Amino acid sequence: MRPAASLIIFTTLSGLGLGLAALIGLGYLEAKSSQWIIIHAAMCLGLIGAGIISSTVHLGHPERAWRALSQWRSSWLSREGVMAGLTTIVLAGYFLDQLYSGVARPWLGIIVSILSLITIYTTAMIYASLKTIARWHHVLTPVVFVLLALAGGCLLAAALQALAGTASTAPLDVPLTQWGIGLIALASLVKIIWWVNAGKNGSGSTPESATGLGGLGEVRMIMPPHTEENWLQHEMGFVVARKHAARLAIIAFILAAILPLLVLGLYPQSAALLILAAAIHLAGVMMERWLFFAEAKHTVTLYYGDRH
Amino acid sequence: MTCLPSATEKKLGLVIDLDICVGCQACVVNCKEWNTAGYGAPLADINPYGDNPSGAWLNRVHAFETGKGADARVVHFPKSCLHCEDAPCVTVCPTGASYKREEDGIVLVNEDSCIGCGLCAWSCPYGAREMDPAEGVMKKCTLCVDRIYNEHLAEEDRVPACVRTCPTSARHFGDLGDPDSDVSQLVAARGGYDLMPEQNTKPVNKYLPPRPRPRHEIEDVDLVSMAKKTTPKGFWKWLDQALDQLPG
Amino acid sequence: MPDDKNLNLSPKPSDRIAKTTCYMCACRCGINVHMKGDEIRYIEGNRDHPVNQGVLCAKGSAGIMQHLSPARLRSPLKRVGKRGEGKFAPISWEEAMEMATSWLKPIRENDPKKLAFFTGRDQSQALTGWWAQQFGTPNFAAHGGFCSVNMAAAGIYTIGGAFWEFGSPDWDRTELFLMFGVAEDHDSNPLKMGLGKLKERGIRTVSINPVQTGYSAVADDWVGITPGTDGLLIMSLIHVLMKTGQIDLDYLMRYTNAPWLVIRNPGQADDGLFLRDKDNKPQVIDSKTGKTVAFDTAGIRPQLKAEIKVKSGGVATPSFMLMVDEWLDETYTPEATEARTGVSASRVYGLAKSIADAAFSREVVINEPWVDWKGERHETMIGRPVSMHAMRGISAHSNGFQTCRALHILQILIGSVESPGGFRFKPPYPKPAHIHPRPAGKADQVKANTPLAGAPLGYVLSPDDLLVDADGTPSRIDKAYSWDAPLSAHGLMHMVISNAYAGDPYTVDVLFMYMANMAWNSSMNTRGVIDMLTETDPETGEYRIPKIIYSDAYSSEMVAYADLILPDTTYLERHDCISLLDRPICEPDAVADAIRWPVVEPDRDVRGFQSVLLDLGARLGLPGMVDDDGKPLYADYADYMTNHQRKPGIGPLAGFRGSDGTAAGRGAPNTNQIQQYIENGGFWSEELPENARFFKMANSHYQDFAVRMGFFDKPEPYVFQIYSEELQKFKLAAEGHGKVQPPDHMRDQIKTCFTPLPVWYEPFEGSAVDAKTYPIHALTQRPMAMYHSWGSQNPWLRQIHGHNPLFIPGNLARSLDVTDGDWVWVESHHGKIKVPVAVMEGINPNTVWTWNAIGKRRGAWQLDKDAPESRKGFLLNHLIHELLPMKGDGLRWANSDPITGQAAWYDLKVNITKADAGDHPVIEPDFPVIAAPPDMPERPDVLRYGDTIIAQELAQEIAQNKKGESQ
Ligand SMILES: Nc1nc2c(c(=O)[nH]1)N[C@H]1C(S)=C(S)[C@@H](COP(=O)(O)OP(=O)(O)OC[C@H]3O[C@@H](n4cnc5c(=O)[nH]c(N)nc54)[C@H](O)[C@@H]3O)O[C@H]1N2
Ligand SMILES: Nc1nc2c(c(=O)[nH]1)N[C@H]1C(S)=C(S)[C@@H](COP(=O)(O)OP(=O)(O)OC[C@H]3O[C@@H](n4cnc5c(=O)[nH]c(N)nc54)[C@H](O)[C@@H]3O)O[C@H]1N2
Ligand code: SF4
Ligand code: SF4
Ligand code: SF4
Ligand code: SF4
Ligand code: SF4
Ligand SMILES: [Mo]
């Protein structure tokens, strides 16, 4: 699948914003002043909003985007839209309430967290629900999305905390930076399991089943229906060389996991380094997301000479 | 609502005979021609006279091959929307633009509500949906819904454009939900099959397989030995007898 | 519920339907052009039309795009730069016509042959040929010489008609169908419809073709023969069928010259000629009386085996005995031919068996009494339901004429021509060589200010009819009907430019061409031809070919090489005439002809070429085009179509004749004729009587019908010529007999090739080059969705075929270590090209192929200079030369069939090596960009055809809704 910048930005930024929101909802990050409430709100809503705006750029008709809220009963994209909207509203309410009342209401925070996690899940399910793309159609796909969002959120929260100079309010008395280490490690582990396994056995479809000509033997495409690339091939026929992909995966791993882990482990107090780590992590996740698209093969390519 | 109807009154669709499709592309172009000034926005073309020309089409013909050397078998393979019963393209659609008609099972896109997210195309295993490059809405085979019920057309012309134009009659149109229809009978007789059944989309359109080729070598022992044995002298003898047997 | 309240299930497709004839190719299907306002909404096939019965091919369906192409020429053009630079000034029609007249008038007044008038993919040869004749030049032909004249001529000389679109398998009755070398054919839609019918009936189809695509892909049996060897395969089949007695003796005796007595008098002037009586009638021996009688004596039963003494010395035997001698020979056993043809002996036996089974075990009988030409009554029509079709795959070889003849003979031997279930002629065929006129244009017939005594094209029957002067010099610029190509019934368009350039046999003053892209895809040796068109004589500074007038409708590669451009309309903007005098659109059961008429008016300063030609004729004062006062006789082509009479009562159109429009075939001109055609759907047709539908060559009912329709003036029954006395006469000349003698260096070749019974010889290029250096055969095929060069300007069709790979067989790919998308060098004795490959298994293992005419010159056709057609599309033509490599005799022989001059496109032999494509792989040779003519429109970046129609529709709908609401 062609990695579209708009979708990479959408899934990574809104994931990061929602991850942060989930942690804030759980009370991981206390705002020491109303100024900080506004900063937290701006971070969460800004990231989520940027993601959503980016996703509409991808549309042929962004002005009709509101229509996408209607089909939540069957469509994960619609559900994502609804959930993103709902979460944004509740999240905004949560911050406003906090701003006016001066207290963060835990029960509302829990709702925010749950909504945020569900939203990340719905984002992931847009992809994971597609049977046509075996790589994505895997139980761990949403887990990876959620864990990466939380890990990123945690890293960002730790940075914000260091910047504000407040003490950790994280549960079990474990500092955010250590939660960060745990979440990044877990996300990496799950991602690696996913990377190795997802779609390994293909979609179950082959050129033979795609054409129904398997009875005659191995099926090869000899002439495409058109000699220049069409939209389908442009969109779904994108291929990345295996060697190239492996190299990128390692870089993504270093950026998204290794470097942030080093910072978290070695300089947990340095706000500057934590901010840098969060940025590097985001770049790594974007690369991960690029590969998520680039390495995914769609069954339609079976009609264009591909074997999965 | 993008939920699928639990059942449709009819299952209108195409039956495509791979045993006779010569890959002439008539159905492809006639489909484009009918539909570019009909249902929804025109089917646009980008760089029509330039490098990398491309455009939206609702039907495309591929060519595949199996076997090696003298046993190679080339098969021309048209493909358009299969109007699946369990159409994933409908259920993924966030706007309700994609829908399956209850009356006849035709899967359509209401272009006025389509946001051009492309997800339906991603969900279709067959590549039967294409984004219009100019209008930014999803295009797909309409089964010529604006022909098959069209009162301005003569009765015999109320068939999809691709079916009407196909020079070899490789394309058939009808109700595959009715076991007695011509198309259902054809499917039964010729072993019509589904594309990618494992995707569980339950396509309505069916494909008729190429008929097996007879054995290449026919060793008719009598004929061969006779051909090998006969001398010119023998031939003349045969001629005399044959001439005697002619009437008149 | 889905939100589909906007869904209109019954939109009005059009305001009106104009029925005319498609010209996206030469098949000439009937079309319904749906119009919305002034715009074309949709083109579909006309269900009532005899040719396509409602279907329409890909090209036909893309007609809108051709009609609106930005490559359409916009006004007459006068060259202002150098030839080939593409610099032109737009001029008025008056200026253009004046210019043409001023160039042509002196030619006609001095030496009319200095005009060479050649028309390409033209369908108005009845007009253009007549125009040339009235002008007085013998130098006229259309494109048939490089196309498929072998097929046409072999058919006419053998059975009185050819495959092409002049006949058709009896689709409803045949039990077995064999195709030899057919990719698409002229009869595009009918062939596909026929194949569909066969499939529905479960009839076995066999395709003999080195490449398995299209028709071959759906054949039940694919025979991947080695190119150029079909003659051997066919004669091997004949060998087996004869030996096993699977031939139709009754048919041979009645309808063929198998019983005709041939004189066998080796070395003498009458050797191999028919024994004739004093009325010059060929003789047979009646087995009932044992007497020698004229072949057409009623009630006889001619002998097939006999020998009599003849007065001149020697003996005479039925030609059948020569056939037996020839084809029972060991050279034709399947075991002897298999190595060369690549078709195993057992497969040949298998094919022979299938043919015999279908022909003789599944005989078709129609209970329709009929009377033959001798007056004998037959109660039934007995058919041998094996049908065949063939096209350029066997025709475009230097041994093609004899191969095509062999195929017709195979059909005849099993009794399947014109019998139910077999191959059927479409009227006015059969029309054998001797009924056609001889070509006019002998040196003494070409005179200043004088029309030629007859049509420039015709059929020669002996060396006496050749157009050569006493020392053998060809009279025609293309050397047609000379010893180079004696039976060149269609002329040799591919030799005109090189001969005119070389001044051999003479130079011309004006080359006038119409609808032929000679500076690109229809020339062999394209680069060489371009040079010939642009080279000047160093002494005079004048171009070697001084003046070139060209009519095209589009900005093709050829345009840049002309001095004066006469821009034509598109096919939807003009009158045209699909005439029985030309290439008719009849069906076996019906005569038919058709018209085109302007269903839309041109929006540019262009004119229908035929009208322009008539205007030019009038300005030159050509007889038949001006009245006694020298005023134009015809206002335009439509006027000519209505009022011109070739013979009293016979005109371009056969339908709706007579003052009241009720006469068919013959009748006075009818002023309302074109309107009646339009009302009838653009065509006219009349069915043959039931008893006239088979055995047309011998059927008195058909012959009477043909006379009534004006095909002939008297019945012209015909006996199939298995044994060709015409060829024997040329052979005799080569042996030194007769007064018209070939040049000495040609005698041997004529002796080997001009055999009265077909022979097979190795294609010339194959025997001229070293088989080890050039081991691979290279072919082209017609893509079904493209028409030669003119489809690439079509934005829909070019998405399907925007460039062409070289398809190579798997075995070759493996040995070269190349795969899809890799590049190779392809080298012939003449040139070298670099192209991308695609691997495919369904090819003869020693053959490669590509689609024809996809490659385009940068800048032509109003396409972007980086269009895929130019970067990745290529022509094989750069590898093909009109001459063979040096043989060592100091001569360069033509790369054509020695009998007809047919260009031997498919004799090409090449060598293939892996190429380093580099980062920006581009086809080599990469010609410089050619400039577009002035004032061409911009290329749009986005095309949304139909948007204004849709807008119109919406507006109408809204208006209607409003009306509905207010009521
Ligand atoms: N390698 C290879 N070369 C081949 C062949 C092959 O098989 N292999 N086939 C050969 C054969 S059989 C043929 S027939 C030739 C065909 O080759 P050409 O005769 O050159 O045919 P086209 O390319 O169609 O070019 C015809 C010209 O007519 C113009 N034209 C189109 N419509 C109109 C119109 O309405 N009016 C006018 N005035 N002009 C019009 C087009 O723009 C084009 O320039 O190619 C030959 N060349
Ligand atoms: N769509 C479309 N239709 C056309 C045209 C077009 O350009 N496009 N052109 C028109 C013209 S001008 C013509 S002349 C006709 C030509 O009509 P066809 O003769 O059908 O066309 P070609 O492509 O020349 O086909 C030649 C076939 O012969 C095969 N062949 C080559 N060599 C041999 C051989 O030695 N033996 C055998 N058995 N087969 C061989 C090739 O593989 C190919 O399949 O088509 C006409 N119709
Ligand atoms: S029109 Fe018919 S024969 Fe031609 S490609 Fe389409 S289905 Fe095949
Ligand atoms: S073929 Fe594709 S687009 Fe058509 S109904 Fe099935 S899934 Fe949907
Ligand atoms: S592209 Fe249009 S039809 Fe397809 S899923 Fe999106 S909104 Fe629905
Ligand atoms: S049914 Fe209509 S829309 Fe569908 S492929 Fe055929 S012509 Fe195109
Ligand atoms: S075969 Fe196609 S292009 Fe040729 S006349 Fe018929 S419809 Fe037109
Ligand atoms: Mo041709």
Side-chain angles (χ1 to χ4, degrees), chain B residues 80-84 87-89 107 123-126 128-129 140 201:
Chain B
S80 51
C81 170
L82 310 160
H83 299 281
C84 307
C89 56
V107 174
S123 77
C124 168
Y126 310 103
R129 291 180 165 232
K140 69 175 292 301
T201 54

Side-chain angles (χ1 to χ4, degrees), chain C residues 409-425:
Chain C
I409 289 167
L410 169 63
Q411 294 175 283
I412 297 173
L413 286 171
I414 57 168
S416 74
V417 177
E418 266 299 316
S419 80
F423 168 78
R424 305 180 63 192
F425 283 118

Side-chain angles (χ1 to χ4, degrees), chain C residues 130-392:
Chain C
W130 177 70
W131 191 95
Q133 181 184 341
Q134 301 311 90
F135 187 92
T137 181
N139 292 323
F140 164 82
H143 72 283
F146 58 61
C147 179
S148 208
V149 63
N150 269 343
M151 187 58 79
I156 295 281
Y157 280 101
T158 311
I159 52 177
F163 289 121
W164 292 64
E165 75 267 32
F166 305 138
S168 147
D170 189 358
W171 301 112
D172 296 322
R173 299 181 188 82
T174 200
E175 293 286 324
L176 175 69
F177 178 54
L178 297 104
M179 276 169 287
F180 290 78
V182 189
E184 169 68 353
D185 196 22
H186 287 286
D187 224 7
S188 314
N189 278 329
L191 256 179
K192 296 187 187 78
M193 287 152 61
L195 283 167
K197 278 187 181 173
L198 298 189
K199 287 284 179 174
E200 206 178 302
R201 292 202 294 123
I203 299 303
R204 179 149 172 236
T205 58
V206 181
S207 177
I208 292 97
N209 197 316
V211 186
Q212 187 193 156
T213 52
Y215 307 159
S216 302
V218 300
D220 298 298
D221 206 348
W222 170 61
V223 181
I225 194 167
T226 301
T229 63
D230 298 72
L232 268 186
L233 171 66
I234 293 164
M235 286 187 265
S236 196
L237 288 169
I238 292 177
H239 174 93
V240 176
L241 289 168
M242 273 191 135
K243 262 190 164 177
T244 54
Q246 305 290 345
I247 53 178
D248 189 335
L249 294 173
D250 186 54
Y251 185 98
L252 286 173
M253 287 190 297
R254 286 181 189 279
Y255 308 124
T256 77
N257 69 8
W260 291 13
L261 293 170
V262 176
I263 299 165
R264 300 171 94 166
N265 195 8
Q268 301 307 305
D270 61 353
D271 182 43
L273 300 181
F274 290 129
L275 183 69
R276 293 171 187 268
D277 63 11
K278 55 184 183 315
D279 300 327
N280 210 25
K281 278 193 178 167
Q283 301 287 289
V284 298
I285 298 171
D286 181 10
S287 54
K288 292 179 185 158
T289 61
K291 289 228 171 73
T292 313
V293 293
F295 74 101
D296 56 356
T297 315
I300 56 163
R301 169 85 182 260
Q303 281 197 352
L304 291 176
K305 186 186 146 210
E307 187 173 303
I308 56 167
K309 285 221 155 54
V310 290
K311 279 188 225 118
S312 65
V315 296
T317 64
S319 69
F320 186 71
M321 293 181 69
L322 285 108
M323 298 172 203
V324 175
D325 284 352
E326 177 70 26
W327 291 318
L328 252 45
D329 192 88
E330 290 296 306
T331 33
Y332 299 119
T333 63
E335 290 76 11
T337 58
E338 69 180 353
R340 277 212 130 97
T341 60
V343 184
S344 71
S346 64
R347 228 161 160 202
V348 178
Y349 288 116
L351 280 174
K353 167 83 175 150
S354 310
I355 293 171
D357 278 353
F360 301 107
S361 311
R362 275 173 276 164
E363 174 176 290
V364 173
V365 181
I366 299 178
N367 287 315
E368 179 66 48
W370 62 287
V371 177
D372 72 20
W373 55 292
K374 291 189 203 166
E376 285 178 33
R377 184 182 154 92
H378 303 249
E379 292 312 316
T380 57
M381 296 173 159
I382 296 176
R384 306 276 167 230
V386 176
S387 54
M388 302 187 194
H389 191 77
M391 244 340 253
R392 290 185 65 251

